[in-house]
Amino acid sequence: MTENLTATAAGGATRTLLMCGIVAGPLYIVVVLLQMLTRDGFDISRYPASMLSNGDQGWIQIANFAVSGLLFMAGAVGLHRARGPAGWGSTWGPRLVGVFGAGMVAAAFFSADPADGFPPGTPVGPPTSMSTHGMVHFLVSGVAFLALIAACFAFGRRFAAGGRRGWAALSMVTGVLFLTAWISLFAMQGSRVANVAFALAVALVLAWTSLLAAYRLTRPGVAAPA
């Protein structure tokens, strides 16, 4: 009797953690979209969403980073606990999602520098120097993006091994598109097309994490993606 109650509690806790993973991506996207519509001078084709952390209303994006990041970390724990005896998704996939979540939390503490006229009152053009918090933001963002890209391939590999070809393709394609869009930011600096493509790629990969958590939540008895 006691063992059954413990198992039920553990299952309920895992479901709650997976629900956090489902909510994380859409929450981040919706909050950014609302700010895009209401923040004076913000243009997603010119600025990354991280620059919303600046200005009088910057606390909204800072909170968005912190809350979404914590939800991603909780979701990663849920994915780890829901792996099953066959090691669903391997141990690396959930860990990498957790690293991404930790990177988002770090981005809340280390904001990107104002630049190119945003927020209003900032001189137009790139900053002449990078602050310490801006440099740390750049570094933690890079680590977080690499972790999430690697997670796409880690889960894609496990899905392929388990015969889930659709999920394997979705995971791999998402990782490739996100990596390509990220590289395009450096290869085409200042390009509005590249900036929009990256924003869309971010939305895609965050949606993928939500779908991944939802997939596992709706298949509690599946030990591996087979």
Side-chain angles (χ1 to χ4, degrees):
M1 181 67 174
T2 302
E3 291 181 356
N4 289 337
L5 288 174
T6 302
T8 301
T14 300
R15 288 179 61 84
T16 300
L17 291 167
L18 289 172
M19 285 297 298
C20 290
I22 293 172
V23 171
L27 173 65
Y28 180 86
I29 293 170
V30 168
V31 174
V32 168
L33 285 174
L34 290 174
Q35 291 181 90
M36 286 169 54
L37 297 174
T38 58
R39 291 290 300 272
D40 291 338
F42 185 81
D43 183 349
I44 196 64
S45 70
R46 293 181 61 190
Y47 312 115
S50 59
M51 287 184 62
L52 288 166
S53 296
N54 295 293
D56 294 339
Q57 295 177 304
W59 65 269
I60 299 175
Q61 182 59 18
I62 291 173
N64 192 24
F65 274 132
V67 175
S68 298
L70 290 172
L71 289 172
F72 273 113
M73 292 173 70
V77 175
L79 289 172
H80 178 79
R81 294 175 60 164
R83 288 178 304 136
W88 182 87
S90 81
T91 58
W92 278 107
R95 287 175 180 173
L96 290 165
V97 173
V99 170
F100 173 73
M104 292 189 76
V105 174
F109 291 93
F110 302 97
S111 300
D113 288 328
D116 198 19
F118 187 85
T122 303
V124 177
T128 56
S129 61
M130 183 178 290
S131 68
T132 300
H133 63 81
M135 187 176 299
V136 174
H137 179 90
F138 180 79
L139 291 175
V140 298
S141 297
V143 172
F145 291 153
L146 287 174
L148 195 53
I149 291 167
C152 289
F153 293 119
F155 278 107
R157 180 174 175 273
R158 294 299 299 177
F159 276 122
R164 292 282 182 178
R165 296 182 179 179
W167 270 99
L170 175 62
S171 300
M172 294 290 191
V173 169
T174 298
V176 169
L177 290 177
F178 185 54
L179 176 60
T180 301
W182 188 33
I183 292 175
S184 72
L185 288 180
F186 301 98
M188 305 167 60
Q189 290 188 21
S191 169
R192 291 181 177 244
V193 173
N195 290 338
V196 172
F198 180 70
L200 292 174
V202 169
L204 172 63
V205 76
L206 295 187
W208 170 80
T209 61
S210 293
L211 292 173
L212 184 65
Y215 172 86
R216 191 52 187 158
L217 182 65
T218 57
R219 289 161 176 77
V222 181

